[in-house]
Amino acid sequence: MSTIGFIYPDHAAEDDYPLAERLLGGDVRLPVAHIYGTDLHAVAELLDLGSPARLTEGAGLLARHEPDAVVWACTSGSFVYGWDGATQQVAGLSEAAGGLPASSTSFAFVRAANALGLRRVAVAASYPDDVAALFAEFLGKGGIDVVSMSAADIDTAAEVGRLDPEAVVDLVAGRDHPDAEALLVPDTAMRTLALLDRIEERLGKPVLTANQVTVWEGLRLAGASRAVPGLGTLFRTGA
């Protein structure tokens, strides 16, 4: 039995994790610990949300589950620190978790794209422009070229979490670009796991979403990667 612990900010789309657990089968547990701060998509607030004190609190909450790895399940609360700062953030999380392997959603996007051999992507972000631009910069540091960036200018994670499935599909699929090899959808507040195959079929290319890559990264860290249907190209390949 592999156990991957996720630190999730506030409440929005955390039900993607039990859905992933069901799809992955009975030998994986994906417990979620919640930390709380403002859910505003603004730089100062996101820096506070991903602070060492908050992640240390989350690691403590996960300890009772005895995880094999821990992941900070927040894209904006990691890339807002920049590449070097996000690296330090993950190192601090690992230390707070007793030396366990650790990562964040931002690094999960880069590693998932690399696993699929992707170099040119479009981004469908829920954030305001200034925050979305920081994600594009982070991807660039990871060797990924953003050929198109769309920002939906949604102010809070709670608003994103209230989007119905049709609104999510329209928001995501309408922001593809013909030069992109894949479409990336940051924001773990957006429910996407149940929609992945549908969106990929519509676009005809891989789609990487925040909760999807976060789960994939946790499995990678725990040495529990596997191929499974229903979670998009990334999981069908077993990369």
Side-chain angles (χ1 to χ4, degrees):
M1 173 73 72
S2 296
T3 301
I4 300 100
F6 299 93
I7 302 172
Y8 190 93
D10 214 300
H11 296 275
E14 66 268 28
D15 45 351
D16 267 356
Y17 293 85
L19 171 59
E21 187 175 281
R22 291 193 298 273
L23 291 172
L24 288 166
D27 63 339
V28 176
R29 293 192 303 137
L30 306 179
V32 176
H34 295 271
I35 59 171
Y36 298 93
T38 178
D39 70 343
L40 190 64
H41 290 148
V43 172
E45 285 78 5
L46 291 168
L47 288 170
D48 175 71
L49 189 62
S51 67
R54 293 193 187 278
L55 296 191
T56 296
E57 177 190 359
L61 293 170
L62 286 171
R64 67 185 180 88
H65 297 286
E66 300 182 345
D68 301 299
V70 294
V71 186
W72 170 218
C74 183
T75 326
S76 54
S78 46
F79 69 67
V80 74
Y81 281 83
W83 188 273
D84 292 341
T87 299
Q88 294 170 8
Q89 182 186 60
V90 166
L93 175 56
S94 174
E95 182 178 355
L100 291 175
S103 189
S104 68
T105 304
S106 293
F107 285 119
F109 269 111
V110 172
R111 292 183 181 125
N114 287 336
L116 294 178
L118 305 172
R119 289 294 176 265
R120 300 183 310 281
V121 303
V123 172
S126 58
Y127 319 121
D129 285 331
D130 61 332
V131 175
L134 295 176
F135 182 53
E137 182 180 330
F138 189 92
L139 293 173
K141 290 287 187 180
I144 300 167
D145 180 26
V146 177
V147 299
S148 175
M149 166 67 76
S150 299
D153 200 26
I154 300 176
D155 287 330
T156 68
E159 292 174 81
V160 176
R162 289 194 292 267
L163 294 172
D164 65 39
E166 291 305 319
V168 171
V169 171
D170 289 343
L171 186 153
V172 172
R175 288 162 169 78
D176 187 26
H177 191 279
D179 293 337
E181 299 168 327
L183 181 64
L184 274 54
V185 188
D187 202 344
T188 56
M190 188 181 296
R191 290 179 179 83
T192 58
L193 292 197
L195 304 172
L196 276 162
D197 286 351
R198 176 179 169 188
I199 299 171
E200 286 194 340
E201 183 177 356
R202 178 166 164 179
L203 297 182
K205 65 180 64 174
V207 174
L208 300 179
T209 72
N211 289 324
Q212 174 210 35
V213 300
T214 301
V215 171
W216 177 88
E217 176 77 336
L219 292 170
R220 185 191 68 82
L221 290 175
S225 299
R226 77 278 308 277
V228 60
L231 289 172
T233 299
L234 180 64
F235 276 88
R236 283 198 298 275
T237 64

